Amino acid sequence: MTKNIVVKKGWELVIPLNIIFLYMLYAGFSERNLIAIAISVGILALVNYIIFSISYRTDGTYLYVKNGFFDTTKIEISKISKIEKTWNPLSSPAPSLFGRVAIYWPQNNYIIISPENFDAFKNELLSINPNIEVKE
């Protein structure tokens, strides 16, 4: 059974990014520069699409992390060795600076995500793989 995991969207990222590109859009309009307007609208749409299209889901065997339109990372839950809360600001499919979680699996692979509810996410993974080391 597929279960969607709610993604935490950090307004601390969304608002400043939108303000920057909205200011560029305003400047383009005030200078009547169609190229600046087109670029600003394109970048604004792209940034918001990437942020709001990130999704996480499980199917009982795998954790799927959809990274915007770039890729979907498929992680076998039985191979996850550790999950831990992190403050790592590394660019990742975690559209929030707060509530980030690093997920580790063999061969030193890891990914950082931001589930809305860490405890529900942790419990979902532990129900499938009780051997996961959890660091909070």
Side-chain angles (χ1 to χ4, degrees):
M1 175 171 71
T2 300
K3 181 174 183 179
N4 290 324
I5 298 163
V6 179
V7 178
K8 182 176 188 168
K9 309 269 192 304
W11 297 109
E12 73 281 354
L13 287 177
V14 174
I15 291 172
L17 285 172
N18 278 288
I19 287 172
I20 291 167
F21 296 115
L22 286 171
Y23 178 76
M24 289 172 54
L25 185 61
Y26 167 76
F29 273 114
S30 60
E31 295 175 12
R32 297 180 186 190
N33 184 336
L34 294 177
I35 294 173
I37 293 169
I39 290 171
S40 298
V41 167
I43 292 173
L44 189 62
L46 178 66
V47 166
N48 281 290
Y49 175 78
I50 290 170
I51 289 172
F52 289 99
S53 66
I54 292 172
S55 65
Y56 318 133
R57 64 184 170 85
T58 63
D59 66 3
T61 305
Y62 292 97
L63 170 66
Y64 300 91
V65 179
K66 183 175 181 277
N67 308 316
F69 57 75
F70 297 110
D71 192 16
T72 298
T73 303
K74 183 177 171 182
I75 305 164
E76 192 170 351
I77 297 171
S78 66
K79 294 190 177 179
I80 294 175
S81 59
K82 178 172 70 171
I83 59 173
E84 68 178 336
K85 290 185 177 181
T86 182
W87 286 96
N88 186 338
L90 180 71
S91 176
S92 60
S96 176
L97 292 177
F98 306 106
R100 288 178 162 222
V101 177
I103 300 170
Y104 299 88
W105 65 96
Q107 290 83 39
N108 295 320
N109 288 316
Y110 77 98
I111 192 167
I112 298 173
I113 65 171
S114 59
E116 179 73 34
N117 183 331
F118 174 75
D119 289 328
F121 174 70
K122 169 187 73 173
N123 292 336
E124 175 70 21
L125 294 183
L126 287 172
S127 71
I128 299 166
N129 178 2
N131 298 317
I132 296 173
E133 177 186 356
V134 178
K135 291 190 175 182
E136 295 190 41

